[in-house]
């Protein structure tokens, strides 16, 4: 019988050798896989260094003085009183409105689509495959690309932005809703269906209550993240504060660029904390 | 010796543990019984300092443990190992690494972050697993194991801490009778052979009677019984579980009979 005291100071070299002979894997990966890991690591590192050289990274440092000029221009707010505050604030509000409108519309349409894409609602694999591919189609293109498309189709301005957010988010939300619906409990559905309720009624009364808090909290999160991303949509002409930002960059009005960035950060922080508070309340209450 | 001196814990206006005073000698095996919500778990968590007491003191070998902070507090936790009803293993780590976490308190920064355990530590972990009959699953993921196996891994982790005291919070409440017996036997074996003090919450009276030479009964946060199993008479049981629980108690006494005067020690 071997020593069974569990004290580190009772472990001898002989114990280690014996354990090692019996259970070599307990002492780390075998030499070959360790060597492989090192090789892969070194290759990844050398590729990184190569890219550094390829992209001429030193430019960052040689051009640093120019960055300093811009930074100095950015912090000089002596012209503050002459900026077009009304226009900037209206554009900021426009960006938030775009995010809110686009996401809410997308969420409303995504609810029925989510049900159609859920395995436990639609057993037909072919039908589900089609709906899922539609979601992927919406998601596959970035909002920015959709914005470029809609700016061409409906012209410059916030409507193009709303449509871009709507289409891109429809794919995201419908997919997330469908997945949430698939993870609901079967038992509750059985309970309602056993009462003789129709399929639709059972979904409404047994499945929707389970996923509704998830849906609302995901939608809130999307609104929050879209009010950040809607800024970028403006850069390609889809309205809002981004449009103003790109104008100011083009005319080298760096002081106003800095001001717009501060505006965006404050707005996003406000929406962040508002939506977080709402989500916490929803998750607790539901 | 572990001494509790008027240990009290309030949650809002609810008193979970009320003026608990106790003396536990080194090497005792103590069972704590009581209805759910009686304060058993809170008491164990207070001793391990996972929960801060509202009032009172914990004294170990003459030293006030309630005053410890930082590294000294963590060292105290290492010496009072804890096992839980739901095992609380890290499910995505393998069994061996779970057991090795028992050494973290004694390891320094870089070794901890890089998972650099010494050969002696690894050999000790295998020995601990061996003792609980689990060496062959050392490299499996923790969540691939059955409940009984997971609890034994948790005990091996506790042993790696080289503890003076082992706190077990309902260690067998999630296990079937056979696994419950294996786990209780392991605790008894650790108590007898290693001289580690064992303090365990139990939800069945018969298990407490079978394994513990001293039983503490709690009701509404108070200690209402403290004595040998023989002294646990009908009125004493009533005081612990209350009048309304009477029928349930009968069931508790007779059910899941883990009882058996001479439990065979763990194999080997």
């Amino acid at each position: 019988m071997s020593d069974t005291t569990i004290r580190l100071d009772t472990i001898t070299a002989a114990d280690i050798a014996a354990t090692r002979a019996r259970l070599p894997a307990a002492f780390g990966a075998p030499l070959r896989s360790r060597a492989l890991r090192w090789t892969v690591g070194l290759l990844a590192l050398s590729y990184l260094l190569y890219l550094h050289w390829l992209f001429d990274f030193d430019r960052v440092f040689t051009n640093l003085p120019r960055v300093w000029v811009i930074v100095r221009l950015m912090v000089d707010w002596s012209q503050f009183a002459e900026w077009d505050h009304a226009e900037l604030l209206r554009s900021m509000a426009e960006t938030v409105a775009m995010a809110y409108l686009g996401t809410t519309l997308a969420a409303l349409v995504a609810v029925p689509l989510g049900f159609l894409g859920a395995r436990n609602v639609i057993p037909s694999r072919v039908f589900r495959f089609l709906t899922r591919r539609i979601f992927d189609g919406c998601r596959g293109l970035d909002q920015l690309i959709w914005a470029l498309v809609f700016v061409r189709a409906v012209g410059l301005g916030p409507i193009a932005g709303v449509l871009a957010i709507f289409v891109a988010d429809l794919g995201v939300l419908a997919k997330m809703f469908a997945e949430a619906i698939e993870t609901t409990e079967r038992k509750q559905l059985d309970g309602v269906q056993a009462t003789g309720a129709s399929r639709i009624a059972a979904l409404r009364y047994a499945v929707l209550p389970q996923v509704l808090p998830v849906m609302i909290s995901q939608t809130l999160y999307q609104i929050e993240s879209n009010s950040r991303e809607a800024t970028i949509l403006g850069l390609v002409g889809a309205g809002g504060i981004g449009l103003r930002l790109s104008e100011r960059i083009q005319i080298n009005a760096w002081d106003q660029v800095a001001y717009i960035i501060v505006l965006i950060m404050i707005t996003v922080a406000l929406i962040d904390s508002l939506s977080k508070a709402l989500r916490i309340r929803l998750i607790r209450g539901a | 010796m572990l001494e509790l001196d008027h240990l009290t814990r309030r949650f809002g206006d609810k008193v979970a543990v009320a003026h608990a005073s106790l003396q536990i000698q080194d090497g005792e095996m103590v069972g704590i019984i009581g209805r759910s919500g009686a304060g058993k778990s809170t008491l164990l968590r207070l001793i391990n300092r996972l929960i801060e007491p509202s009032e009172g003191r914990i004294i170990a070998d003459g030293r006030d443990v309630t005053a410890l902070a930082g590294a000294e507090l963590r060292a105290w936790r290492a010496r009072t190992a804890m096992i839980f009803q739901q095992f609380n293993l890290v499910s995505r780590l393998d069994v061996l690494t779970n057991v090795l976490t028992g050494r973290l308190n004694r390891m320094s920064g870089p070794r901890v972050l890089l998972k650099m355990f010494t050969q002696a530590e690894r050999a000790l972990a295998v020995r601990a697993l061996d003792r609980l009959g689990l060496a062959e699953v050392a490299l499996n993921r923790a969540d691939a194991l059955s409940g009984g196996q997971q609890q034994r891994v948790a005990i091996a982790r506790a042993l790696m801490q080289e503890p003076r005291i082992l706190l077990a919070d309902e260690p067998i409440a999630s296990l079937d009778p056979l696994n419950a017996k294996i786990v209780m036997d392991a605790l008894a074996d650790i108590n007898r052979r290693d001289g580690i003090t064992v303090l365990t919450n139990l939800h069945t009276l018969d298990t407490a009677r079978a394994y513990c030479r001293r039983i503490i009964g709690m009701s509404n946060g108070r200690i209402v019984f403290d004595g040998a199993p023989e002294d646990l008479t009908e009125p004493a049981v009533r005081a612990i579980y209350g009048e309304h629980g009477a029928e349930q108690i009968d069931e508790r006494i007779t059910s899941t009979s883990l009882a058996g005067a001479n439990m065979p020690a763990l194999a080997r």
Side-chain angles (χ1 to χ4, degrees):
Chain A
M1 193 177 104
S2 63
D3 193 355
T4 55
T5 319
I6 308 301
R7 284 211 338 257
L8 195 63
D9 51 21
T10 63
I11 296 282
T12 62
D15 286 329
I16 294 174
T19 316
R20 185 156 212 157
R22 188 158 67 96
L23 214 77
F27 292 83
L31 195 63
R32 201 189 305 162
S33 71
R34 228 180 303 176
L36 185 71
R37 232 178 281 167
W38 271 99
T39 316
V40 171
L42 281 176
L43 279 178
L45 187 68
S46 15
Y47 184 55
L48 211 66
L49 289 174
Y50 166 71
L51 286 181
H52 182 275
W53 171 80
L54 187 72
F55 291 158
D56 198 5
F57 242 67
D58 296 334
R59 263 206 331 228
V60 172
F61 302 102
T62 49
N63 290 351
L64 215 52
R66 225 189 305 170
V67 176
W68 268 118
V69 172
I70 292 178
V71 169
R72 266 213 310 278
L73 288 173
M74 279 179 135
V75 293
D76 174 18
W77 284 20
S78 50
Q79 308 291 308
F80 187 80
E82 281 148 53
W83 298 341
D84 191 349
H85 290 282
E87 187 206 28
L88 291 181
L89 289 176
R90 197 176 52 241
S91 303
M92 190 69 247
E94 197 173 271
T95 294
V96 175
M98 272 160 54
Y100 177 68
L101 193 60
T103 318
T104 314
L105 284 176
L108 289 176
V109 181
V111 172
L113 284 185
F115 275 93
L116 292 181
R119 192 185 324 125
N120 48 350
V121 178
I122 305 289
S124 152
R125 194 175 294 185
V126 178
F127 188 85
R128 210 171 59 238
F129 179 83
L130 289 174
T131 47
R132 286 287 177 123
R133 293 297 81 77
I134 294 172
F135 303 166
D136 290 348
C138 297
R139 275 184 322 131
L141 282 182
D142 193 83
Q143 268 179 16
L144 194 63
I145 314 292
W146 283 117
L148 284 168
V149 171
F150 284 118
V151 164
R152 280 301 173 90
V154 300
L156 290 173
I159 288 297
V162 171
L163 286 174
I165 292 173
F166 169 74
V167 175
D169 263 35
L170 187 61
V172 175
L173 287 173
K175 180 173 190 291
M176 291 202 291
F177 290 179
E179 270 159 19
I181 291 165
E182 282 179 357
T183 60
T184 52
E185 267 187 44
R186 170 93 217 164
K187 285 183 280 180
Q188 305 184 28
L189 186 65
D190 283 346
V192 175
Q193 266 185 331
T195 65
S198 72
R199 184 84 182 144
I200 298 275
L203 291 177
R204 166 71 187 80
Y205 280 89
V207 175
L208 193 65
Q210 293 186 58
V211 291
L212 199 57
V214 183
M215 288 175 166
I216 295 177
S217 101
Q218 279 169 347
T219 306
L220 280 171
Y221 177 76
Q222 282 310 114
I223 291 180
E224 174 192 320
S225 112
N226 279 335
S227 31
R228 239 170 332 205
E229 308 211 341
T231 312
I232 304 170
L233 298 187
L235 293 177
V236 298
I241 194 78
L243 196 56
R244 309 289 160 240
L245 188 65
S246 76
E247 288 166 8
R248 303 300 190 275
I249 291 174
Q250 268 157 26
I251 59 167
N252 277 320
W254 293 106
D255 47 353
Q256 293 191 52
V257 168
Y259 175 59
I260 291 173
I261 291 172
V262 170
L263 265 185
I264 292 171
M265 289 200 304
I266 292 174
T267 312
V268 168
L270 279 176
I271 294 174
D272 250 31
S273 48
L274 189 73
S275 110
K276 195 173 155 199
L278 274 172
R279 269 183 288 141
I280 287 172
R281 280 188 59 166
L282 270 168
I283 291 162
R284 282 221 195 103
Chain B
M1 188 181 75
L2 178 72
E3 193 179 348
L4 309 185
D5 177 22
H6 290 279
L7 199 61
T8 300
R9 171 67 205 205
R10 292 184 202 87
F11 292 108
D13 51 1
K14 191 183 170 297
V15 184
V17 172
H19 298 283
S21 293
L22 275 180
Q23 288 194 348
I24 293 166
Q25 304 299 326
D26 288 344
E28 276 194 272
M29 174 133 182
V30 182
I32 306 173
I33 56 171
R35 286 155 62 147
S36 58
K40 308 188 295 281
S41 283
T42 310
L43 188 70
L44 288 195
R45 283 163 178 269
L46 280 167
I47 294 174
N48 186 269
R49 294 270 320 268
L50 281 174
I51 301 179
E52 292 298 310
S54 310
E55 262 175 58
R57 291 187 309 160
I58 304 160
I59 298 149
D61 300 325
R63 207 156 67 111
D64 188 354
V65 173
T66 15
L68 299 183
E72 281 188 318
L73 170 60
R74 292 194 296 276
W76 165 251
R77 289 201 179 128
R79 271 184 293 133
T80 52
M82 189 141 189
I83 64 171
F84 301 85
Q85 178 178 347
Q86 295 297 335
F87 330 127
N88 295 19
L89 298 179
V90 182
S91 54
R92 294 183 55 87
L93 289 179
D94 61 34
V95 166
L96 189 80
T97 312
N98 265 290
V99 174
L100 283 165
T101 56
R103 299 304 300 183
L104 290 178
N105 180 258
R106 295 156 198 258
M107 290 167 60
S108 61
R111 278 218 297 140
V112 169
L113 293 181
L114 296 173
K115 279 202 197 170
M116 284 165 56
F117 298 100
T118 63
Q119 305 226 327
E121 282 165 343
R122 288 169 185 276
L124 186 67
V126 173
R127 182 189 281 180
L129 282 171
D130 233 352
R131 190 166 156 185
L132 291 144
L134 287 170
E136 70 279 9
V137 295
L139 299 163
N140 291 18
R141 255 177 63 156
D143 57 3
L145 269 51
S146 73
Q149 288 176 317
Q150 288 195 35
Q151 192 61 293
R152 282 185 280 154
V153 173
I155 294 174
R157 174 173 71 182
L159 282 177
M160 287 293 278
Q161 296 172 220
E162 299 185 24
R164 300 280 305 278
I165 301 172
L166 182 64
L167 307 171
D169 190 4
E170 296 282 6
I172 57 169
S174 309
L175 302 178
D176 61 78
L178 177 63
N179 274 307
K181 179 168 151 40
I182 293 174
V183 164
M184 284 311 295
D185 285 350
L187 291 181
D189 181 64
I190 287 162
N191 172 251
R192 194 166 48 242
R193 281 209 285 164
D194 304 53
I196 295 172
T197 310
V198 174
L199 229 73
T200 176
N201 288 344
L202 293 166
H203 66 296
T204 52
L205 256 177
D206 50 0
T207 316
R209 281 189 205 274
Y211 285 95
C212 305
R213 272 142 291 164
R214 179 177 172 190
I215 293 176
I216 289 169
M218 291 186 73
S219 173
N220 292 324
R222 295 184 176 281
I223 292 174
V224 294
F225 177 86
D226 185 352
E230 307 84 75
D231 302 329
L232 200 59
T233 54
E234 182 73 30
V237 170
R238 221 166 269 282
I240 298 167
Y241 287 102
E243 294 297 330
H244 298 296
E247 289 121 54
Q248 286 168 315
I249 296 162
D250 290 339
E251 198 187 329
R252 272 200 190 91
I253 295 169
T254 52
S255 72
T256 60
S257 208
L258 275 185
N262 38 16
M263 289 281 173
L266 203 63
R268 91 184 25 240

